[in-house]
């Protein structure tokens, strides 16, 4: 697949920082008054359009390490119950509508002693034990004019260059500004500036999101971009982001549906900027995926390649839209090339509606981290040995196998109750530096939805 992207080569001299929010404000503001006159002012009011959902999430996670870990643990196991409440209001009437979104979380430990803690489900105390409970809350004020919304506060974010994850008991959150605009049909514009972060096992928004070497500890992340031709058979996306004094990152996507065949291509280009707090970075990463559906079955093949002496890095748990970033590993090592084969089956066709099965295998080869720039985050200086120690060596390879079974109740009092059973196996050599691990997930979820009121 070919990419029509202006970011295939390194950018030239750029401003000291991206200012995406204010740029998009100008772009959206210039069109909003005219388009507001064309759109009927019939949106529901502040409470009339409000929605409240309380999600009950029961999460069991078991990590069985088949090789020694840095912490000396061969086994981690935690079981917890979480409640995630989300409130989304409508908007007050008028040219500029005002609304509010809010969320609250409570997590309760059901099992997980000191010897088995550290899966990421629960925060740890100073003794390394799992906390018995933790909670958090946050919210955002939002303003809407025409089809443009500005949110200010704490929220979840979804974009290819900054995406908060929801992989454990509590979702990740980020605090800042997010502007979303759909003034033009088929184009979804987004811009954001975020400077405070709440991790999945934290009660405070004063944490940091960290990748393989990069971190938000140095400041903020800004981004701007658009999803193009939304709702059509051929679509794409273009985004740009800047992590303070670390990197500028550019993203392009092109995808199409041809009958039962789906094709998808993703491309990232990352260059260090400012003080280059993670060291010199010059990385290009891309993936190509094809998925063919035959009735209740689907077959997927994918290829992914990382070009550069450092890993493809990101902050925010889901800020990687490459095809081979899967359940445990991202297959994003320096120089790495990886292949994926996947099989999906909808067992509704066999008389069990709501039951789905997935099996996937990814193999990665060619990792060489020995050329990572010395003194950077990927090849730091070790004072104990007096040498530089790259995070990954030469000749790294690994593989991952995922099995996933999900069932969602289709009707009756328990409608939308879901059960997910997942097993992950990952094996790696010493140059790849990953864990040999078998991981088991059991997740039971039930959403209670209220509204519109």
């Amino acid at each position: 697949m070919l990419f029509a992207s202006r970011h295939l080569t390194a950018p030239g001299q750029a401003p000291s920082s991206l200012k995406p929010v204010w740029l998009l404000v100008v772009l959206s503001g210039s069109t909003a008054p005219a388009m507001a006159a064309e759109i009927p002012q019939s949106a529901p009011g502040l409470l009339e359009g409000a929605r409240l959902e309380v999600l009950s999430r029961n999460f069991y996670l078991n990590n069985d390490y088949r090789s020694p870990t840095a912490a000396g643990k061969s086994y981690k196991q935690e079981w917890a119950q979480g409640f995630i409440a989300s409130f989304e209001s409508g908007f007050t009437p008028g040219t500029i509508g005002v609304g509010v979104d809010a969320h609250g979380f409570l997590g309760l430990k059901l099992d997980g002693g000191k010897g088995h803690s550290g899966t990421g489900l629960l925060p740890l105390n100073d003794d390394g034990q799992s906390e018995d409970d933790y909670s958090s809350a946050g919210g955002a004020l939002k303003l809407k004019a025409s089809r443009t919304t500005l949110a200010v506060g704490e929220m979840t974010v979804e974009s290819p260059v900054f995406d908060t994850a929801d992989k454990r008991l509590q979702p990740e959150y980020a605090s800042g500004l997010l502007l979303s605009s759909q003034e033009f049909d088929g184009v979804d514009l987004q811009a954001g500036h975020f400077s405070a972060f709440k991790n999945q096992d934290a009660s405070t928004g004063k944490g940091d999101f960290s990748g393989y070497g990069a971190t938000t500890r140095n400041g903020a992340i800004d981004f701007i971009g658009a999803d193009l031709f939304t709702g059509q058979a051929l679509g794409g996306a273009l985004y740009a982001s800047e992590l303070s004094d670390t990197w500028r990152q550019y993203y392009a996507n092109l995808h199409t549906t041809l009958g039962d065949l789906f094709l998808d291509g993703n491309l990232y280009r990352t260059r260090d900027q400012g003080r280059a707090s993670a060291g010199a970075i010059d990385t290009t990463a891309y993936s190509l995926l094809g998925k063919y559906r035959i009735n209740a079955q689907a077959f997927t093949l994918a290829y992914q390649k990382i070009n550069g002496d450092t890993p493809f890095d990101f902050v925010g748990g889901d800020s990687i839209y490459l095809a081979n970033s899967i359940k445990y590993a991202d297959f994003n090592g320096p120089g790495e090339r990886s292949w994926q084969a996947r099989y999906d089956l909808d067992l509704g066709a066999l008389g069990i509606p709501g039951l789905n099965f997935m099996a996937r295998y990814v193999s990665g080869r060619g990792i060489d981290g020995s050329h990572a720039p010395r003194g950077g985050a990927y090849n730091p200086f070790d004072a104990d040995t007096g040498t530089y120690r790259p995070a990954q060596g030469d000749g790294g390879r690994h593989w991952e196998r995922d099995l996933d079974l999900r069932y969602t109740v289709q009707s009756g009092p328990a409608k939308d109750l879901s059960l997910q059973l997942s097993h992950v196996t990952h094996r790696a050599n010493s140059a790849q530096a990953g864990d040999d691990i078998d991981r088991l997930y059991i997740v039971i979820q039930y959403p209670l939805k209220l509204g519109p009121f």
Side-chain angles (χ1 to χ4, degrees), residues 212 283-287 303-312 320 322 324-326 329-340 362-370 392-400 426-429 431-434:
Y212 290 82
T283 302
T284 301
Y286 67 89
S287 68
Y303 175 75
Q304 182 171 304
K305 182 69 170 67
I306 313 298
N307 293 317
D309 294 330
T310 60
F312 168 73
I320 174 172
L322 297 174
N324 291 348
S325 173
I326 55 172
D330 293 309
F331 294 87
N332 61 333
E336 183 168 9
R337 59 188 184 278
S338 57
W339 299 262
Q340 176 186 165
V362 179
S363 176
R365 296 287 188 274
I367 299 169
D368 183 3
S370 63
Q392 294 177 295
D394 187 8
R397 63 182 186 276
H398 59 141
W399 59 266
E400 178 177 337
H426 179 263
R427 297 292 185 268
N429 66 358
Q432 194 273 334

Side-chain angles (χ1 to χ4, degrees), residues 48-78:
E48 289 81 353
R51 297 176 183 272
L52 174 65
E53 176 178 314
V54 179
L55 176 65
S56 170
R57 176 178 290 169
N58 190 279
F59 207 126
Y60 172 82
L61 183 55
N62 179 302
N63 292 339
D64 184 3
Y65 295 93
R66 300 307 178 96
S67 59
T69 66
K73 293 184 177 181
S74 61
Y75 184 77
K76 294 180 181 179
Q77 174 183 295
E78 290 180 319

Side-chain angles (χ1 to χ4, degrees), residues 155-167 170-175 178 190 192-194 196-200 208-211 216 221-224 227 239-243 247 249 251 266 268 312-322 325 330:
M155 65 197 82
T156 59
V157 186
E158 185 175 350
S159 84
V161 289
F162 182 62
D163 193 319
T164 54
D166 187 11
K167 299 179 179 179
Q170 175 184 217
E172 293 178 341
Y173 295 98
S175 294
L178 180 66
Q190 270 198 110
H193 169 82
F194 294 92
F197 311 93
K198 182 184 292 181
N199 291 294
Q200 60 194 11
D208 286 292
F209 290 169
S210 296
T216 58
I221 186 165
D222 298 272
F223 72 88
I224 185 169
D227 294 320
Y239 280 82
S241 70
E242 179 179 290
L243 181 62
W247 70 50
Q249 190 171 88
Y251 169 82
N266 296 282
Y268 287 91
F312 168 73
D313 210 348
F314 56 95
V315 293
D318 275 341
S319 306
I320 174 172
Y321 283 24
L322 297 174
S325 173
D330 293 309

Side-chain angles (χ1 to χ4, degrees), residues 248-260:
R248 288 197 179 101
Q249 190 171 88
Y250 306 90
Y251 169 82
N253 168 268
L254 187 64
H255 60 269
T256 186
T257 301
L258 304 170
D260 294 322

Side-chain angles (χ1 to χ4, degrees), residues 142-414:
K142 54 187 183 180
L143 307 174
K144 184 174 184 179
S146 183
R147 291 190 286 181
T148 297
T149 303
L150 173 65
V152 183
E154 185 178 84
M155 65 197 82
T156 59
V157 186
E158 185 175 350
S159 84
V161 289
F162 182 62
D163 193 319
T164 54
D166 187 11
K167 299 179 179 179
R168 292 292 187 269
L169 202 63
Q170 175 184 217
E172 293 178 341
Y173 295 98
S175 294
L177 300 90
L178 180 66
L179 192 66
S180 305
S181 179
Q182 297 176 321
E183 299 293 347
F184 307 101
D185 292 339
V187 179
D188 291 350
L189 294 167
Q190 270 198 110
H193 169 82
F194 294 92
S195 57
F197 311 93
K198 182 184 292 181
N199 291 294
Q200 60 194 11
D201 57 353
S203 298
T204 174
K206 297 180 180 179
D208 286 292
F209 290 169
S210 296
Y212 290 82
T215 176
T216 58
R217 193 172 302 115
N218 301 294
I221 186 165
D222 298 272
F223 72 88
I224 185 169
D227 294 320
L228 309 172
F229 314 115
T230 56
Q232 301 182 33
L234 176 66
L238 292 172
Y239 280 82
S241 70
E242 179 179 290
L243 181 62
S244 297
D245 283 318
T246 306
W247 70 50
R248 288 197 179 101
Q249 190 171 88
Y250 306 90
Y251 169 82
N253 168 268
L254 187 64
H255 60 269
T256 186
T257 301
L258 304 170
D260 294 322
L261 178 65
F262 173 72
L263 300 174
D264 182 61
N266 296 282
L267 172 70
Y268 287 91
R269 182 81 171 102
T270 310
R271 293 290 303 272
D272 60 89
Q273 69 91 25
R275 294 197 300 267
S277 60
I281 298 173
D282 186 357
T283 302
T284 301
Y286 67 89
S287 68
L288 303 169
L289 177 146
K291 180 178 181 179
Y292 187 68
R293 185 172 296 278
I294 305 176
N295 299 321
Q297 302 178 87
F299 302 87
T300 301
L301 294 174
Y303 175 75
Q304 182 171 304
K305 182 69 170 67
I306 313 298
N307 293 317
D309 294 330
T310 60
F312 168 73
D313 210 348
F314 56 95
V315 293
D318 275 341
S319 306
I320 174 172
Y321 283 24
L322 297 174
N324 291 348
S325 173
I326 55 172
K327 197 83 170 178
Y328 180 80
D330 293 309
F331 294 87
N332 61 333
E336 183 168 9
R337 59 188 184 278
S338 57
W339 299 262
Q340 176 186 165
R342 171 172 170 164
Y343 173 73
D344 291 86
L345 175 63
D346 180 356
L347 282 93
L350 302 179
I352 315 177
L355 184 62
N356 292 274
F357 171 76
M358 184 275 294
R360 172 173 55 201
Y361 179 84
V362 179
S363 176
R365 296 287 188 274
I367 299 169
D368 183 3
S370 63
H371 301 291
R374 289 186 172 185
Y378 315 100
N379 192 0
F381 182 75
D382 186 345
D384 293 334
T385 62
T387 61
Y388 291 94
R389 301 192 62 170
Q392 294 177 295
D394 187 8
R397 63 182 186 276
H398 59 141
W399 59 266
E400 178 177 337
R401 180 185 64 237
D402 299 343
L403 301 173
D404 189 271
L405 189 66
R406 301 180 186 224
Y407 176 68
T408 303
V409 177
Q410 301 294 293
S411 60

